[in-house]
Amino acid sequence: MNRRDFIKLTIKGTAAVMLVNGLDIIFQPPDVHARTSPRRFVFLVDIYKCIGCGFCVKACKLENEIPFDAGVSRTWVERYVVNGEGEVFADTPKEARYGFTTGRIDLGRGKFKDIPQEKTKKAFFVPKLCNQCEKPSCVQVCPVGATYQNADGVVLIDRKWCIGCGYCIMACPYGMRFFHPVHRVADKCNFCYHRINQGLRPACVQACPTGARLIGNIKDPGDPVEKIIRTQQVAVHKPEYGTNPQVYYVGLGEEVR
Amino acid sequence: MHILRPLFVVLAIAAIILIARSIWIPSDFGIHERGYTYGWYRQSNIEEWKNFTVKYQGREFCVTCHAEQVQKLTSSKHKNIECENCHGPALSHPADPLKLVLDRNRELCLRCHTNLFYPNSQRSQIKGINPDQHNPGLECVLCHNPHEASKPR
């Protein structure tokens, strides 16, 4: 082999290798496999605005066919009361499906606590719902591929595919998942995917009288929720878990667990 | 030759598993937008969730027939309360159900109007009562009209 042939062969060989690589990108483009949806649903909760009426919980249970009297819910409202000594008392009587109609804190096991007005230093309500994490740990642990994140960022559960093993219920750092007593599968909030997909607001957002709960699309630059998240002080629950939750809170304090 | 027999058994088992797999697993089950870690699922399930029945129709639906009542409500202090919060989900009313069940319970009003002095919450700005002292046992609607958010009539 002379030098000319060697160089020709090298050029041909390099071209062939690059072509094979190129074909791979043409037929399996990484950009296509990545998210292409123009929507990424996010949620915004304003703790100052929440009045603890519990209409969100009622609407959620009826909209999503969760047995009303069962002690499980896709969303709930927690009450936090901090007294003068800095002690934190929290409760969520019946997931707040009937709201908070008394000042007594339900400590559980039949015990109640009254905190008089002059001793109440901080008190507020915190609505909780599925965070639709960008890196959902509940999805990673599913052994059968029954729970997944779709292109819009919503984590859904395939009720035909779920075997009810409960790994996802254990894996969620926020305790959002529960075992559906009728369908016998894992269940959780999905931002009312059947509603937001057709442009309606989730049932809880519609039922909220104060605008404490809002849904938005973080990929839409004109979206009011996107603007608040980008321009105001918002926080998420338990960022240390690395799940990148997508339910943002205005006025979230360290008392909230 | 008989040394190869275990191999044939293994091949037969593998073939049975592969055939069973192709029958049991739907063709749309696989890796989708979010990759293997988060997007390994049966794609037709998304359609199943999209077709879930909507129960709460919203005030925009109520106003098409009950314009007068909605008008009354939206000009009162209760303008932020959705009709269905008290009247229940509309479903496909008036076909089904023919009539909605109105919740007249005292507890419904107390959701917002129990006096709670919570400094960091808008709750403290709502006019409230102590349910143990303010006409206990009586329905609020006996005196107050919720559509007008009024003083006792």
Side-chain angles (χ1 to χ4, degrees):
Chain A
M1 185 184 281
N2 58 27
R3 188 190 298 180
R4 184 178 293 265
D5 286 344
F6 175 75
I7 291 171
K8 274 181 183 172
L9 195 66
T10 309
I11 291 170
K12 278 179 191 165
T14 313
V17 168
M18 287 175 76
L19 187 67
V20 170
N21 266 337
L23 285 175
D24 192 43
I25 291 168
I26 288 163
F27 289 111
Q28 289 198 317
D31 292 341
V32 173
H33 280 273
R35 197 88 61 75
T36 52
S37 170
R39 302 187 297 188
R40 202 311 173 192
F41 292 111
V42 294
F43 211 91
L44 182 70
V45 177
D46 190 330
I47 289 172
Y48 297 111
K49 286 183 181 169
C50 182
I51 56 169
C53 66
F55 277 132
C56 50
V57 183
K58 180 189 175 188
C60 174
K61 284 203 136 185
L62 296 175
E63 175 75 29
N64 292 300
E65 297 173 17
I66 310 299
F68 198 79
D69 295 320
V72 289
S73 185
R74 288 184 173 195
T75 183
W76 64 89
V77 183
E78 293 172 359
R79 161 167 64 185
Y80 289 82
V81 179
V82 185
N83 69 8
E85 284 88 55
E87 287 175 290
V88 183
F89 299 94
D91 71 341
T92 171
K94 295 192 170 173
E95 309 93 45
R97 70 183 94 121
Y98 300 111
F100 293 85
T101 55
T102 167
R104 293 192 312 164
I105 313 284
D106 187 348
L107 299 176
R109 298 192 181 118
K111 284 186 191 161
F112 295 90
K113 173 126 184 133
D114 260 315
I115 298 168
Q117 189 190 347
E118 63 275 11
K119 283 201 175 166
T120 304
K121 299 299 173 202
K122 270 195 220 180
F124 50 88
F125 299 101
V126 182
K128 294 261 182 97
L129 70 159
C130 174
N131 287 292
Q132 315 294 349
C133 304
E134 192 61 21
K135 294 180 175 174
S137 50
C138 55
V139 172
Q140 287 186 42
V141 300
C142 181
V144 295
T147 185
Y148 57 93
Q149 189 172 50
N150 75 4
D152 297 336
V154 177
V155 175
L156 295 169
I157 297 159
D158 188 339
R159 284 183 171 170
K160 284 185 190 155
W161 220 241
C162 177
I163 57 172
C165 69
Y167 281 173
C168 55
I169 299 173
M170 304 304 292
C172 176
Y174 309 100
M176 292 301 156
R177 286 179 172 245
F178 58 91
F179 199 69
H180 196 293
V182 176
H183 296 285
R184 319 291 296 164
V185 293
D187 202 84
K188 69 163 192 71
C189 160
N190 57 17
F191 283 179
C192 282
Y193 191 65
H194 58 297
R195 296 176 64 95
I196 56 178
N197 182 57
Q198 43 179 293
L200 298 168
R201 289 170 296 165
C204 60
V205 175
Q206 191 170 65
C208 181
T210 63
R213 303 172 73 115
L214 295 170
I215 185 109
N217 173 11
I218 205 157
K219 287 197 176 172
D220 175 7
D223 191 294
V225 168
E226 191 266 355
K227 197 185 171 204
I228 292 172
I229 292 171
R230 291 282 164 249
T231 60
Q232 295 188 23
Q233 296 92 323
V234 292
V236 293
H237 281 310
K238 301 181 184 174
E240 66 273 19
Y241 280 82
T243 50
N244 197 357
Q246 296 297 310
V247 174
Y248 294 87
Y249 286 81
V250 177
L252 186 71
E254 60 176 359
E255 299 86 3
V256 182
R257 297 179 291 258
Chain B
M1 265 325 268
H2 52 265
I3 196 134
L4 285 176
R5 272 184 201 157
L7 180 66
F8 295 140
V9 172
V10 167
L11 284 176
I13 290 170
I16 288 166
I17 289 171
L18 284 174
I19 290 164
R21 224 183 103 89
S22 66
I23 293 167
W24 285 90
I25 296 182
S27 57
D28 59 345
F29 189 93
I31 298 165
H32 301 291
E33 300 85 0
R34 292 299 328 272
Y36 179 74
T37 319
Y38 304 116
W40 184 57
Y41 63 96
R42 185 171 64 93
Q43 199 161 34
S44 48
N45 181 243
I46 294 186
E47 282 308 309
E48 291 168 20
W49 277 115
K50 282 178 182 172
N51 295 331
F52 198 78
T53 320
V54 171
K55 282 102 183 164
Y56 279 80
Q57 305 295 348
R59 190 186 283 161
E60 305 76 29
F61 173 79
C62 309
V63 78
T64 52
C65 298
H66 304 285
E68 199 185 319
Q69 295 295 333
V70 173
Q71 164 64 27
K72 226 177 176 182
L73 182 79
T74 48
S75 48
S76 80
K77 276 189 174 175
H78 275 167
K79 58 177 178 291
N80 291 335
I81 311 280
E82 279 284 326
C83 312
E84 289 163 304
N85 278 359
C86 307
H87 292 269
L91 301 161
S92 38
H93 173 74
D96 172 41
L98 192 62
K99 260 185 168 305
L100 296 183
V101 185
L102 176 57
D103 188 352
R104 288 173 177 279
N105 262 315
R106 193 176 158 84
E107 277 65 35
L108 187 84
C109 309
L110 292 179
R111 283 169 177 261
C112 302
H113 293 291
T114 304
N115 226 343
L116 294 177
F117 304 96
Y118 287 174
N120 318 84
S121 169
Q122 268 190 15
R123 175 66 171 254
S124 50
Q125 290 156 33
I126 299 174
K127 280 190 178 175
I129 53 129
N130 183 338
D132 299 329
Q133 290 166 9
H134 185 95
N135 303 321
L138 290 182
E139 282 175 359
C140 309
V141 289
L142 292 174
C143 301
H144 303 270
N145 182 345
H147 282 184
E148 291 167 358
S150 63
K151 290 244 154 52
R153 53 191 165 201

